[in-house]
Amino acid sequence: MSTTPSVNRRRPEPVQQIKQRRDMALNALVQGVPYIQFLGVEFDRRGDELTAILRFDDKLIGNPILPALHGGAIGAFLEITAIIELSWSLLWKDMETGVLDLSTLEAGNLPRLPKTIDFTVDYLRSGLPRDAYARARVARSGRRYASVNVEAWQDNRTRLFAQANGHFLMPEKAE
Amino acid sequence: MVAVDKSKIARQFVEAIPHAVALGMRFIDLGDGEAEMTMPYDTRFIGDPKTGVLHGGAVSTLMDTCCGAAVISHPACASGTATIDLRIDYMRPATPGQALSTRAVCYRVTRSVAFVRATAFDDDKSRPVATATGAFTVEGRVS
């Protein structure tokens, strides 16, 4: 490891510039989808790692007696997490190299989203009436198809309450 | 007689679920392990802002609810149910502006598991929007 500055190396971008660009791109992606807003799903970003957060709300209840979150709301939360993770991974390179014009993205001109082919949810425990978290991992991202895994938890990261696996049709590359 | 009361109770139970109410879900038909439900088109449920197509999550929520209702209405099930797993296959985007309807059939109930299939349509009843296959818990079996 040498600390001598290389002549060929470009100076790193200012930290605020990087943060602003990434947050702007992520916000445009998430806030452009009405159903994500309807459910109240937010995304927390650390570098390129995303954590989805489902804020608890009474309208998410599926069993008022227990009470427990609706299985459909949980499934939708996981599908949203998978689609955003996949879109984010597709966006990342263009965003970082400046190919992507952020002003058009902010104006609501979003990139085409991947389409869900199939989605399978395992319900491991009932969803408690509190916030839930999820992270997705792109297992394979090809030219036409992608496979994504999602894990969701509430209190303990290792105690999953739901997991899912889905296949997606990639958006056509804009010419 | 018992079956009529049972489906009436199941219908009231499902129609009171907060998340089903939030999505505007209504029954078309319910009884003996079969359920048919509908959900109106709503711009808040859009998943692709460019086309106005419903989010897959909204489609799967309708199907999950309808499958659960089919289980509750089955003569062999005594009380509520929970989803063990649910797989949704999306055949085509639902046409924007059209209501979505789903028919679910609980085709087999064992001591602890109920197996369900469902199909979702928009106005075009010849081409399904999505199909679902799921396993649900049996909370207490009528022997």
Side-chain angles (χ1 to χ4, degrees):
Chain A
M1 282 284 278
S2 163
T3 52
T4 321
S6 154
V7 230
N8 299 324
R9 191 174 297 165
R10 275 195 302 163
R11 274 190 74 80
E13 283 179 279
V15 61
Q16 274 314 322
Q17 195 175 313
I18 300 174
K19 275 191 183 175
Q20 200 188 356
R21 177 180 62 233
R22 294 175 182 173
D23 288 340
M24 191 192 279
L26 180 61
N27 282 343
L29 204 59
V30 172
Q31 280 161 14
V33 182
Y35 197 60
I36 297 180
Q37 302 308 311
F38 173 76
L39 279 187
V41 177
E42 297 163 16
F43 283 82
D44 186 31
R45 186 187 65 78
R46 296 284 181 271
D48 72 338
E49 184 195 64
L50 301 180
T51 308
I53 304 154
L54 178 68
R55 296 267 175 234
F56 176 72
D57 190 282
D58 283 331
K59 74 165 189 287
L60 300 176
I61 291 290
N63 185 329
I65 299 159
L66 287 174
L69 297 178
H70 195 291
I74 296 166
F77 173 51
L78 270 64
E79 192 176 329
I80 287 167
T81 308
I83 293 172
I84 294 297
E85 179 68 45
L86 188 56
S87 306
W88 178 246
S89 72
L90 295 174
L91 206 73
W92 183 266
K93 202 180 151 206
D94 285 351
M95 175 180 71
E96 293 298 290
T97 52
V99 174
L100 187 77
D101 185 0
L102 288 171
S103 57
T104 64
L105 200 66
E106 245 199 334
N109 209 341
L110 294 164
R112 300 294 317 217
L113 298 167
K115 283 188 193 141
T116 316
I117 300 167
D118 60 64
F119 203 71
T120 310
V121 186
D122 279 343
Y123 295 91
L124 307 172
R125 313 187 151 75
S126 73
L128 302 168
R130 60 186 73 151
D131 291 0
Y133 313 97
R135 274 189 204 146
R137 185 180 64 87
V138 179
R140 191 210 174 230
S141 176
R143 195 171 55 84
R144 292 173 72 195
Y145 310 110
S147 178
V148 184
N149 301 319
V150 195
E151 291 185 338
W153 70 99
Q154 293 192 294
D155 299 312
N156 304 108
R157 176 66 183 91
T158 53
R159 229 174 106 88
L160 302 182
F161 82 107
Q163 60 184 3
N165 177 49
H167 294 93
F168 297 86
L169 193 61
M170 293 302 223
E172 305 267 334
K173 268 272 183 191
E175 295 307 318
Chain B
M1 278 297 277
V2 177
V4 173
D5 287 341
K6 190 179 160 58
S7 68
K8 195 179 165 191
I9 292 163
R11 192 185 189 118
Q12 283 170 347
F13 178 77
V14 174
E15 282 184 333
I17 292 171
H19 196 56
V21 173
L23 288 158
M25 293 178 193
R26 301 286 298 273
F27 277 102
I28 297 168
D29 189 27
L30 180 71
D32 292 332
E34 295 194 21
E36 197 171 345
M37 296 186 81
T38 182
M39 180 178 78
Y41 180 79
D42 191 312
T43 53
R44 293 174 302 163
F45 309 156
I46 290 172
D48 188 344
K50 272 197 181 145
T51 57
V53 168
L54 283 179
H55 196 284
V59 178
S60 65
T61 302
L62 176 70
M63 298 186 91
D64 181 59
T65 309
C66 195
C67 287
V71 173
I72 295 172
S73 79
H74 195 280
C77 292
S79 67
T81 185
T83 318
I84 297 170
D85 94 307
L86 190 72
R87 175 192 164 114
I88 314 271
D89 291 289
Y90 297 96
M91 269 98 222
R92 65 173 174 96
T95 310
Q98 296 182 3
L100 198 71
S101 65
T102 298
R103 183 155 191 88
V105 179
C106 175
Y107 61 93
R108 181 81 184 137
V109 177
T110 72
R111 205 179 313 164
S112 13
V113 189
F115 298 92
V116 194
R117 273 193 287 260
T119 315
F121 295 96
D122 53 20
D123 289 355
D124 182 354
K125 306 297 177 202
S126 65
R127 294 184 308 138
V129 165
T131 58
T133 327
F136 288 72
T137 62
V138 172
E139 306 286 343
R141 202 189 144 98
V142 181
S143 43

